[in-house]
Amino acid sequence: MSLITDEILNALWTEAQRNASNEWAAVAVWNQLWNKHIFWEKEWIVTPESPPEGSGRRRVDVTIRYLGGDRKLAVLAFHEAKPSDAGPQDIQDAEHQAVEACMRYLGKAENADLSFVYAVTSFGTKGRAWRYDRGMDYLTPLFGSDSLAERGDYIDLHSSEATQLRAAFNLMKNIKPYE
């Protein structure tokens, strides 16, 4: 079942299809989906273009946070996006950037009690959800094959397979790294 469920999402999705080389057009669809449909409740904070964690100058495309059990803001997931016309190397880069963001976050002293964090990678309107566990150097997919950079494992938001994305997003909301 498609995750494109209203006129605004449909217009943004269509715009992203027409502008395959424009990462911002794709990110607009994802931001609308995150803010109005998936993480719409007041306890969620969806922040585009988050500043880098620790050293380095690279920004995370989208960060999804929530208020944890001890009233501390915690990251649920990092989202790394690429444009629709991204090649296999670009997709691999997004996955590598997601791993690095997760490692930096869990490497901070104040997050020593966390054992995992989620990531989402996308190219255009196709996405994949992951879990990153402390100490690993790879992402574990929440659906699809275990291999990285497999375009076939990425699911378009406007497809019948998007139920797998919805299930992954529901799992992320219900099993948080920090309660």
Side-chain angles (χ1 to χ4, degrees):
M1 184 167 126
S2 175
L3 293 177
I4 305 301
T5 57
D6 65 28
E7 290 181 34
I8 294 173
L9 278 174
N10 191 53
L12 291 168
W13 182 88
T14 301
E15 184 176 65
Q17 303 314 302
R18 279 189 293 219
N19 297 299
S21 62
N22 186 334
E23 182 177 311
W24 300 108
V27 171
V29 179
W30 287 98
N31 275 329
Q32 182 73 8
L33 181 72
W34 293 142
N35 282 298
K36 303 292 184 181
H37 298 272
I38 305 296
F39 299 104
W40 58 270
E41 300 95 343
K42 66 181 178 180
E43 73 253 27
W44 299 104
I45 304 118
V46 179
T47 310
E49 286 287 320
S50 297
E53 297 276 341
S55 64
R57 300 178 63 113
R58 195 182 176 301
R59 293 181 177 268
V60 174
D61 292 320
V62 178
T63 302
I64 302 163
R65 300 184 303 160
Y66 63 100
L67 198 58
D70 71 348
R71 315 312 290 167
K72 171 184 152 186
L73 286 175
V75 170
L76 176 75
F78 295 106
H79 179 177
E80 290 292 345
K82 298 294 179 193
S84 292
D85 64 358
Q89 184 61 51
D90 298 317
I91 296 167
Q92 193 173 28
D93 289 348
E95 292 168 355
H96 181 71
Q97 290 164 349
V99 168
E100 286 182 336
C102 294
M103 290 173 79
R104 281 192 310 268
Y105 181 70
L106 292 183
K108 293 172 73 176
E110 63 264 28
N111 298 325
D113 53 343
L114 299 178
S115 61
F116 72 95
V117 67
Y118 296 105
V120 174
T121 54
S122 64
F123 69 98
T125 58
K126 295 180 179 181
R128 195 158 183 209
W130 310 87
R131 178 177 159 144
Y132 173 80
D133 289 286
R134 178 183 295 285
M136 307 309 280
D137 60 356
Y138 58 88
L139 300 167
T140 303
L142 297 183
F143 61 83
S145 72
D146 284 341
S147 61
L148 297 177
E150 291 293 326
R151 288 179 71 97
D153 286 329
Y154 279 77
I155 295 174
D156 195 286
L157 296 171
H158 202 9
S159 69
S160 59
E161 292 84 20
T163 55
Q164 292 179 73
L165 287 169
R166 167 71 75 184
F169 303 154
N170 286 339
L171 178 121
M172 290 164 57
K173 284 178 77 170
N174 293 316
I175 304 174
K176 298 178 190 98
Y178 187 78
E179 284 289 345

